[in-house]
Amino acid sequence: MDAFPTIASASKAIAAKKLSPVELTKASLARIKAHDSALHSFLLVTEERAMADAKAAEARVMAGSAKGPLDGIPIAHKDIYNTADIRTTAHSKLLEHNVPTADSMVVKKWDAAGTVMLGKLATHEFAMGGPSFDLPWPPARNPWNPDHFTAGSSSGTGAAVAAGFILGGTGSDTGGSIRGPAALCGIAGIKPTYGLCSRAGVLPLSFTMDHTGPMAWTVEDCAMLLQAMAGYDPEDPASADRPVPNFTADLAKGAKGLRIGVIRHFFEDDHPVSEATRKGIDAAMDVYRGLGAEVSDVTLSPMSEYHAVGSVILTSEAYAVHQPWLKTRFNDYGELFRDRIALGAFMSSADYVQAMRRRRMLCIEVRDAMADYDILVSASQPGEAPRIDSVPKWGNLEKPSLTMPFNVTGNPAMSVCTGYGEGGLPVCMQLIARPFAEPMLFRAGHAYETATGWRGKRPALVA
Amino acid sequence: MPPVTREEFDILAAQTGLPLSQAQKDTLFDVYPTLQKILTTAAAPMPREAEPSLIFYPEVR
Amino acid sequence: MSEISFEARVRATGLKPKAEDMPKLEALVKDMDRAAELVRGPRAYSEEPLSAFRLKKA
């Protein structure tokens, strides 16, 4: 057995009865036992459940009645996804003993696809605000160097996938919480189009900015996971009632003929990134040109405008969600989440409405810009992961977020690893497509990944 | 948006109804100019007819 | 809602009503405060608003 199979390779091997879901699950659990004490990516390992799921998957495969390509694949869920009879805490003291009675829709869907659930993953408190050291559990650490940050808020998923504990996992993204940890942990992570995946049963942070989505080692694996995640859900008022395309169908089409627009001012002027990150993006554009794509620069409004709109909406909506607890259990929150969210109390209803008006204008701007492009490109993070003890408390406000613009507009956006920086930690780029054009996003990402060799290297901690 | 004095900020903080300690108020006062800048940027002049991106649907789903 | 004076609350908004309008305004704001308190009433943590962000017409 390959020490670190991808979902695509494991799926083929399982279907060919060359790989046992039970053995694959045992190997994952053994790796977690050996290494997670240094990474803290799991808040809860559900070993018994995992072995039961794996045995059931194996029985189906042997009987010729496998559920599909995800049958027997080890996964885990960010701990804001409700799981029936399994603790769901949002990594917070406020929900330390919360045991939901029902699964969230995405958990149900992955369960129906035959995945093997290994447990619940660390997150920043209520999907915002980390790294925090004053919560009931420690923050997840970066497998490439445990002294360094994972980014967040889907911190546990980023760490666990990079470490090979799981082959894929769920994340959520309100301002970059999938793309950030995917970038700093050197994996792939997609924030799908707003409305594509159900948010029902996922603890909300900001109703109009929250997205659910998958994280995995490769773009192809993300496409496979999204296939079992997307679709209309009447229980989610924002769910899009439209057919789900085949997300892997265009993977082999390559990049020939793609029109790619680089939003260079986002990462060179508005929030200048590290040299390694910029060089990684430039080299990636050379790869795309070599594959037959047309690459040129595109200009949008300054990123600070997108960031301001996103920050006002996110903070206002999150404050509204948490207002009752903030008034009665203020000091039960960790300092970072509490202080950041408290700013929502200083915003007026007019501030929120103005931001919503500006949001529509920005959506139109991106729509119009994309008339000439299939894919837009920016950075996902400003550089390699910083030390976990050097993340500034108000870093979320001081510089405009590179990921927030596409929570504001709802476009699908994905982090893809473009190599490693001076510290040996991953750097990455962000690819963006038109609303509901995920197949195009996966096509572009997969073309780059298969033309480069970055997916062949794993963190030394577990390699 | 004009800068707020500490006295004005304390009024705003009291209006929130949150049980803020003195240290918590100090932290929020320090970051308040950044918040004001963000609010000003988000509300920069736009056409009077600019609609919000939120749509109200009377048919409850 | 808070223990600060109404005059201080008005000053914090940046609005400058006439002195003779203040009693009427204070009465109106008290009504609004009561209405807001009712709106804030207990509800499920995950209860969604009725308006939604939509990329395309439903």
Side-chain angles (χ1 to χ4, degrees), chain C:
Chain C
M1 182 172 159
S2 70
E3 293 169 9
I4 55 174
S5 72
F6 181 69
E7 288 74 15
R9 285 183 66 187
V10 173
R11 271 201 308 277
T13 67
L15 298 174
K16 292 170 184 161
K18 290 178 190 166
E20 62 263 35
D21 290 340
M22 286 293 271
K24 193 174 168 189
L25 184 61
E26 184 169 7
L28 283 171
V29 169
K30 270 188 185 157
D31 284 347
M32 290 300 290
D33 280 348
R34 273 194 291 272
E37 200 58 49
L38 280 175
V39 170
R40 277 195 292 269
R43 61 169 51 83
Y45 171 80
S46 57
E47 189 180 308
E48 294 260 356
L50 200 55
S51 52
F53 172 56
R54 295 233 190 264
L55 293 168
K56 298 197 173 180
K57 283 186 179 175

Side-chain angles (χ1 to χ4, degrees), chain A residues 112-187:
Chain A
T115 58
V116 174
M117 195 186 81
L118 267 57
K120 304 300 290 289
L121 297 162
T123 165
H124 290 173
E125 188 175 23
F126 286 106
M128 181 180 173
S132 297
F133 297 89
D134 56 354
L135 303 179
W137 304 271
R141 288 170 177 267
N142 196 314
W144 296 91
N145 184 336
D147 290 334
H148 286 245
F149 190 34
T150 52
S153 64
S154 309
S155 49
T157 316
V161 169
F165 298 162
I166 50 176
L167 303 194
T170 47
S172 68
D173 193 317
T174 307
S177 288
I178 286 174
R179 291 159 290 160
L184 295 193
C185 295
I187 65 172

Side-chain angles (χ1 to χ4, degrees), chain A residues 208 232 237 239 308 326-327 330-331 338-339 345-347 351-352 354 356-361 393-394 397, chain B residues 9 13 16 18-20 24 27-28 31 35 38-39 41-48 50-54 61:
Chain A
T208 73
Y232 176 62
S239 185
L326 283 166
K327 293 202 172 183
F330 193 66
N331 291 305
R338 182 191 68 210
D339 286 358
F346 292 82
M347 294 180 186
D351 292 329
Y352 179 74
Q354 300 294 28
M356 276 295 179
R357 294 172 80 205
R358 171 75 53 188
R359 183 183 199 180
R360 186 161 186 272
M361 296 168 77
K393 179 173 177 175
W394 298 111
L397 293 182
Chain B
F9 178 81
T16 67
L18 297 177
L20 296 166
Q24 287 160 348
T27 303
L28 294 173
V31 80
L35 176 65
I38 285 171
L39 292 173
T41 304
M46 62 189 107
R48 195 182 300 268
E51 288 263 354
S53 51
L54 277 185
R61 296 203 298 177

Side-chain angles (χ1 to χ4, degrees), chain A residues 324-340:
Chain A
W325 282 339
L326 283 166
K327 293 202 172 183
T328 56
R329 300 183 64 184
F330 193 66
N331 291 305
D332 283 346
Y333 287 97
E335 178 188 343
L336 275 185
F337 180 85
R338 182 191 68 210
D339 286 358
R340 286 182 184 178

Side-chain angles (χ1 to χ4, degrees), chain A residues 201-276:
Chain A
V202 180
L203 298 171
L205 176 61
S206 165
F207 296 114
T208 73
M209 304 271 282
D210 288 344
H211 299 65
T212 54
M215 300 164 72
W217 185 246
T218 66
V219 169
E220 181 180 21
D221 287 358
C222 283
M224 294 175 72
L225 290 171
L226 188 63
Q227 200 71 56
M229 194 168 181
Y232 176 62
D233 177 10
E235 294 301 314
D236 176 353
S239 185
D241 190 2
R242 50 187 296 135
V244 176
N246 183 334
F247 295 121
T248 55
D250 292 347
L251 288 180
K253 285 188 176 172
K256 189 174 172 57
L258 293 188
R259 298 166 303 163
I260 297 176
V262 182
I263 323 169
R264 192 165 294 280
H265 66 93
F266 270 18
F267 59 90
E268 288 194 350
D269 304 323
D270 301 348
H271 187 163
V273 298
S274 73
E275 193 178 348

Side-chain angles (χ1 to χ4, degrees), chain A residues 398-463:
Chain A
E398 284 160 0
K399 287 185 178 172
S401 159
L402 290 151
T403 42
M404 182 78 89
F406 307 105
N407 294 86
V408 170
T409 65
N411 290 69
M414 180 167 63
S415 282
V416 177
C417 181
T418 53
Y420 303 88
E422 285 181 359
L425 293 145
V427 291
C428 89
M429 64 177 167
Q430 182 179 194
L431 304 178
I432 303 103
R434 295 190 192 101
F436 301 105
E438 277 80 3
M440 174 63 77
L441 197 58
F442 289 131
R443 175 184 165 189
H446 183 70
Y448 172 79
E449 270 190 357
T450 50
T452 53
W454 308 123
R455 296 300 75 202
K457 185 179 174 185
R458 285 278 182 170
L461 176 80
V462 292

